[in-house]
Amino acid sequence: MSQTNTADFTPTIVAFLCNWCSYAGADLAGTGRQQYPPSIRVVRVPCSGRINPIYILKALVDGADGVMVSGCHPGDCHYLAGNYYARRRFTVLKKLLTVAGVNPDRVHFTWVSASEGARFAQVVTDVTDKVRALGESEYKSRRGGERA
Amino acid sequence: MSVLETQAQKVRDSAKKLLADATAQTVIGYADEGVDGLCVPVFITDVKDVGRLVWNRRSVPNLASYLIGRKGKTAIVAKPCDARAVVNLIVENQIKRDDVHIIGMDCPGMTDAAGAALHACETCQVNTSPVFDERIENAEVKPVSPEKRDAERGLDENLARFTKEMEKCILCFSCRQACYGCYCQTCFMDRGVPDWHPESPDMGAKMLYHLGRAMHLAGRCVECGACENACASGVDVRYLIREVTGFVKELYGYDTGLSLEDQPAMLTYQPDDREVGFLGGEAHG
């Protein structure tokens, strides 16, 4: 499975961040010179409710070691209710992934507001640690071959 | 006359009446015109064809999806699971309540060609229609057995089971075609842009398809077993969906297709929904 399960392994984590809170939170982490591991690949989405669960599956199947999803705190959605719908979807998706044998520590959901730059850095650090502990994704090898 | 034959006669009488007084323009039911005694769907529009309608232990297909896109009022011979599917289609605004006449059959459970009970029927939880316009009773239908959920497994066992089932799958999409709930005009697996469907039917493609479909059917599956009956490779297609549907029921108290008033669980929310599996939240049981 994984030969890279060492401290210097930097996992590839796809991070879906909502435009209004978490992306701005990531921005604040940057302008505030917060340090966090260079492991995330950010995909900016309008709202956490815009994230089709298939995006998360696709990221895993195409070889991401982990997926992180972050949106506005419940009650603070720019579109009023998008993150409430997303919350149900993510709850069910994580259960489904567990049933299908995907380690739940590969997929993380959380809320980060635009003012929580330090928290964003902390979340990325935590998520990276958890995914690093699991090593390289076992789903990489599930693909028949490399895709262009 | 057996109880089933009495039910079948009542279906024919009812169909004759519905067509004669123009309550319905079409009656969708079962005809014993398939292979190995398997009933096939039949669309009756004329009173003189009513005799083709049958009802037996091989009335297997779920007819609910034939209601989508129909013009005029349609009557449907519905097993309890089919009736739940019809209710869910109404709740999801795919069909109108006024356009459908549900002939709700009390169901003794369906069998395969050899006479053994179908997998879905063995664990049936609803054997009388929850919503109907007329009910055709069967005194021999017994109360359902208590719900059986798969035992919790460890992650390794989960992966082993998933791998075992997926290795059988050939991605023919029969389960999708048979499913009443898969009514998307274009399935995500058929789209070229973005290309969700990898070129080769490898593990990644199967994972994407089966998990994606399970997500789409979370809280929408009526447990009719049409998917597993359609599967040519003997995959337990429904096991992932069964798990998430049970989870949705447990977490949000929603059971599919039992009431015309309930909002489907994934189409609504509560501000204080539990955050199971979230970072720093409670873990999955």
Side-chain angles (χ1 to χ4, degrees):
Chain A
M1 206 165 94
S2 134
Q3 305 82 28
T4 45
N5 192 357
T6 53
D8 58 339
F9 162 58
T10 304
T12 305
I13 298 172
V14 177
F16 294 98
L17 306 180
C18 99
N19 178 45
W20 304 99
C21 294
S22 299
Y23 194 86
D27 223 6
L28 186 64
T31 47
R33 300 286 187 269
Q34 300 283 344
Q35 294 291 319
Y36 59 84
S39 54
I40 60 167
R41 310 287 185 273
V42 176
V43 179
R44 178 160 66 160
V45 290
C47 176
S48 48
R50 174 66 183 84
I51 301 164
N52 188 329
I54 293 166
Y55 299 172
I56 297 167
L57 296 172
K58 179 78 169 166
L60 288 172
V61 166
D62 277 0
D65 298 309
V67 176
M68 177 187 138
V69 175
S70 181
C72 304
H73 285 273
D76 293 344
C77 181
H78 187 78
Y79 306 103
L80 306 178
N83 55 3
Y84 284 132
Y85 292 105
R87 180 165 62 181
R88 284 202 167 188
R89 272 176 223 150
F90 298 155
T91 307
V92 173
L93 176 65
K94 194 145 182 182
K95 172 73 180 180
L96 177 64
L97 288 170
T98 312
V99 173
V102 179
N103 195 310
D105 271 350
R106 290 211 183 273
V107 184
H108 294 276
F109 307 114
T110 191
W111 317 116
V112 173
S113 84
S115 63
E116 293 175 327
R119 185 176 134 77
F120 181 82
Q122 189 57 49
V123 163
V124 175
T125 310
D126 291 351
V127 168
T128 306
D129 285 348
K130 283 185 174 161
V131 176
R132 181 184 288 134
L134 296 175
E136 204 172 73
S137 165
E138 46 275 59
Y139 305 102
K140 266 181 196 167
S141 56
R142 297 197 148 201
R143 295 205 50 91
E146 284 298 310
R147 270 151 66 83
Chain B
M1 200 187 287
S2 75
V3 183
L4 282 170
E5 193 41 49
T6 313
Q7 275 190 302
Q9 191 51 51
K10 282 183 185 164
V11 169
R12 287 189 283 268
D13 293 346
S14 168
K16 205 175 287 175
K17 187 166 163 293
L18 289 167
L19 291 171
D21 64 16
T23 312
Q25 275 76 57
T26 313
V27 177
I28 307 181
Y30 298 98
D32 187 6
E33 292 161 25
V35 180
D36 282 345
L38 182 70
C39 290
V40 293
V42 65
F43 292 61
I44 306 290
T45 52
D46 196 324
V47 179
K48 72 177 186 334
D49 295 330
V50 161
R52 289 173 72 191
L53 287 168
V54 298
W55 168 255
N56 53 37
R57 299 291 296 271
R58 296 280 281 149
S59 304
V60 175
N62 183 342
L63 306 177
S65 50
Y66 294 116
L67 292 172
I68 298 173
R70 288 194 69 78
K71 300 243 173 2
K73 186 149 180 166
T74 309
I76 179 169
V77 179
K79 299 192 293 297
C81 41
D82 306 357
R84 289 176 70 189
V86 173
V87 170
N88 200 45
L89 290 176
I90 295 168
V91 169
E92 290 177 352
N93 292 325
Q94 295 303 309
I95 49 177
K96 291 197 182 77
R97 178 70 187 93
D98 294 340
D99 289 346
V100 52
H101 180 98
I102 304 171
I103 304 174
M105 312 295 293
D106 285 9
C107 179
M110 295 297 144
T111 64
D112 60 17
L118 293 178
H119 189 197
C121 300
E122 279 177 338
T123 53
C124 179
Q125 291 300 305
V126 183
N127 58 14
T128 57
S129 296
V131 176
F132 51 84
D133 293 288
E134 61 185 292
R135 178 177 164 194
I136 297 189
E137 297 187 24
N138 180 338
E140 284 178 1
V141 169
K142 298 179 195 69
V144 292
S145 48
E147 189 175 12
K148 257 202 336 228
R149 288 277 295 280
D150 292 352
E152 289 284 343
R153 289 178 167 79
L155 208 55
D156 290 344
E157 286 172 88
N158 278 345
L159 184 60
R161 182 177 190 194
F162 183 70
T163 311
K164 187 177 133 252
E165 294 298 339
M166 291 307 113
E167 273 168 356
K168 291 185 266 179
C169 176
I170 55 170
L171 283 178
C172 67
F173 304 127
S174 294
C175 42
R176 175 188 75 189
Q177 298 310 118
C179 181
Y180 94 93
C182 281
Y183 55 67
C184 288
Q185 297 280 318
T186 309
C187 176
F188 71 97
M189 288 304 275
D190 290 342
R191 284 205 199 120
V193 183
D195 185 11
W196 302 113
H197 189 335
E199 299 76 13
S200 55
D202 62 7
M203 220 39 181
K206 293 178 196 176
M207 187 169 154
L208 200 65
Y209 170 61
H210 285 277
L211 294 188
R213 204 174 89 87
M215 267 319 281
H216 287 179
L217 285 163
R220 297 176 64 234
C221 177
V222 295
E223 289 153 356
C224 64
C227 47
E228 54 199 24
N229 295 339
C231 184
S233 310
V235 182
D236 187 357
V237 185
R238 206 158 52 88
Y239 95 93
L240 292 167
I241 301 165
R242 197 162 55 223
E243 287 287 331
V244 285
T245 301
F247 183 67
V248 164
K249 187 172 167 185
E250 176 188 313
L251 211 61
Y252 307 120
Y254 176 74
D255 219 348
T256 317
L258 295 186
S259 145
L260 290 165
E261 275 79 44
D262 287 353
Q263 270 289 316
M266 303 309 282
L267 297 183
T268 184
Y269 64 88
Q270 293 295 328
D272 57 350
D273 275 337
R274 284 162 63 193
E275 294 184 357
V276 188
F278 277 56
L279 209 58
E282 55 184 314
H284 276 283

